[in-house]
Amino acid sequence: MSMDTGSWAGRRVLVTGHTGFKGGWLCLLLQRLGAQVTGLSLAPPSEPNLFEQARVNTGITHIIGDVRDASLVLDVVNNYCPQVIFHLAAQPLVRYGYVEPVETFATNVLGTAHVLDAARRQGEVRAIVSVTSDKCYENREWVWPYRENDPMGGHDPYSASKGAAELVIASYRDSFFPAVGLAKGGTGLASVRAGNVIGGGDWATDRLVPDLIRAFLAGETPMIRSPRSVRPWQHVLEAVFAYLDIAERLIKGDSHFAEAWNFGPGEDDTQSVAWIVEKLANLWGVPGQWQQFDGEIPHEAHLLKLDCAKARIMLGWQPTLRLAQALEWIVEWHQSTASGGDARRITLDQIERFANLKNQATQGNV
């Protein structure tokens, strides 16, 4: 995908979860492309937060609301008539899922059903991209990466809720949004499963990179829970550009893309928590300053990899930033904003730079 505004200029887009980390980056990208963006979300989940720092609400319709409220979701879809929906609203944290499992299931499963049903009832949405998680898979703690047709599952409530959301999505696709009807003006529905997304402006609690950034900014020694756990880390722009790529293909009526998709890093960028901590600390200028948490830790998967062969073959997709570069961009974002730099400017600048790198890589492969 390029920064050409042709596919998005003036297009009506609804983003649920627009006050969150990924939602904020996505909204700024859509604004840059000229889309008419409506956002539906709870208030920003942390203080500070990307939504306020980068003034994401500038130029969009900003609605505070809960996707667990089915009538509200339907009203928003009916009133703003989106042509495209990106559904990101979710309870996104594994550890919080242990604290509030019912809320996690209600938001991630019923919330998804409410958005899809509103689109079904309204009947004019052309493309829906529903964001779940790499943790939707039944994790067997094996070395092989998971493919899109592997079984859904989940040990903890968060992971199980994402697997259940995928079943809801598949059911709505089969029952109400069949891919064969897309070429005739129907609705295309895709689900997207990204790896551990990282980037500037993520302030979530109980998430590795934000925890590290907070510690570095405070001059404290970060506490690490599971240094040997391995995850598919990738910059947030890898994910949001991929989401737009899928949406563009659905808008054009190609039924091959109304499916589930994995987006993750290459094999050599699937790294351990300890690797991330060491690299980020060195980049920040505080090498070796961390210690391991020795208290009780709720169950989390230790090994998780994604097979992205489908996206590489069918989309021509490949990661743009190496993991080390992604960490450099994170340090640049946070050190710049901490010293008084404009968060919106640096975010838009990184979007532009990423698009240029992506275009150069694409042209190099032609």
Side-chain angles (χ1 to χ4, degrees):
M1 188 212 133
S2 71
M3 291 297 280
D4 178 9
T5 60
S7 297
W8 295 98
R11 192 173 295 279
R12 299 185 304 277
V13 181
L14 171 64
V15 178
T16 71
H18 70 294
T19 61
F21 164 57
K22 267 198 292 189
W25 279 88
L26 176 60
C27 284
L28 289 174
L29 174 55
L30 287 166
Q31 288 180 62
R32 168 64 181 78
L33 294 170
Q36 297 179 16
V37 181
T38 298
L40 171 64
S41 182
L42 298 175
S46 65
E47 180 58 47
N49 57 81
L50 177 69
F51 183 76
E52 293 174 343
Q53 285 184 295
R55 305 186 300 284
V56 175
N57 64 320
T58 302
I60 72 171
T61 300
H62 169 47
I63 302 170
I64 293 294
D66 195 327
V67 293
R68 291 176 293 178
D69 185 339
S71 62
L72 171 64
V73 174
L74 181 58
D75 285 346
V76 169
V77 172
N78 284 337
N79 291 339
Y80 294 93
C81 301
Q83 297 161 297
V84 181
I85 296 176
F86 292 97
H87 174 47
L88 286 79
Q91 191 297 94
L93 301 173
V94 173
R95 284 163 64 87
Y96 186 81
Y98 281 106
V99 178
E100 295 291 349
V102 174
E103 176 187 334
T104 299
F105 281 109
T107 301
N108 295 353
V109 185
L110 275 179
T112 298
H114 292 161
V115 171
L116 298 182
D117 206 58
R120 175 182 73 87
R121 291 174 181 273
Q122 196 264 352
E124 298 180 13
V125 180
R126 182 64 170 160
I128 306 170
V129 177
S130 190
V131 178
T132 63
S133 170
D134 58 344
K135 297 173 182 64
C136 67
Y137 294 105
E138 179 185 342
N139 194 322
R140 303 180 185 180
E141 299 282 1
W142 57 20
V143 297
W144 296 283
Y146 294 94
R147 297 176 296 177
E148 287 87 348
N149 58 357
D150 280 327
M152 299 294 96
H155 178 284
D156 62 274
Y158 168 79
S159 301
S161 75
K162 289 298 187 177
E166 284 283 355
L167 297 180
V168 169
I169 294 163
S171 173
Y172 266 80
R173 181 188 300 115
D174 293 341
S175 301
F176 308 114
F177 307 130
V180 293
L182 187 54
K184 301 176 182 179
T187 302
L189 171 58
S191 64
V192 286
R193 308 158 182 175
N196 279 46
V197 172
I198 57 177
D202 186 2
W203 296 102
T205 57
D206 284 331
R207 200 176 274 165
L208 177 64
V209 171
D211 286 348
L212 291 173
I213 296 297
R214 275 189 292 269
F216 296 158
L217 287 169
E220 300 172 350
T221 301
M223 191 78 68
I224 306 305
R225 292 196 302 270
S226 304
R228 290 184 295 277
S229 292
V230 174
R231 294 287 186 272
W233 313 92
Q234 62 187 325
H235 194 273
V236 61
L237 287 173
E238 305 282 9
V240 298
F241 269 76
Y243 302 165
L244 261 68
D245 192 353
I246 291 292
E248 287 182 5
R249 293 167 191 262
L250 295 178
I251 291 167
K252 294 174 183 175
D254 194 329
S255 61
H256 294 95
F257 300 97
E259 298 180 349
W261 297 89
N262 284 345
F263 295 104
E267 177 70 22
D268 53 352
D269 272 343
T270 300
Q271 295 285 356
S272 69
V273 166
W275 189 95
I276 295 288
V277 175
E278 179 183 353
K279 294 295 183 183
L280 201 61
N282 284 335
L283 287 168
W284 197 274
V286 287
Q289 296 186 20
W290 62 279
Q291 56 184 317
Q292 184 169 349
F293 178 70
D294 59 2
E296 185 176 350
I297 302 173
H299 175 275
E300 292 188 54
H302 292 288
L303 181 61
L304 180 58
K305 299 180 181 181
L306 290 177
D307 185 329
C308 302
K310 179 180 172 183
R312 289 199 305 272
I313 293 168
M314 294 184 65
L315 295 170
W317 179 86
Q318 60 182 352
T320 298
L321 293 180
R322 296 300 307 269
L323 181 53
Q325 290 176 285
L327 295 177
E328 290 173 3
W329 284 32
I330 291 170
V331 170
E332 175 191 69
W333 195 99
H334 280 281
Q335 291 190 341
S336 173
T337 56
S339 61
D342 184 86
R344 184 180 179 92
R345 183 201 59 77
I346 185 63
T347 306
L348 290 172
D349 177 65
Q350 290 191 347
I351 287 173
E352 203 77 30
R353 285 157 53 195
F354 184 89
N356 290 336
L357 289 171
K358 195 170 187 66
N359 289 340
Q360 291 170 17
T362 300
Q363 293 165 7
N365 290 331
V366 173

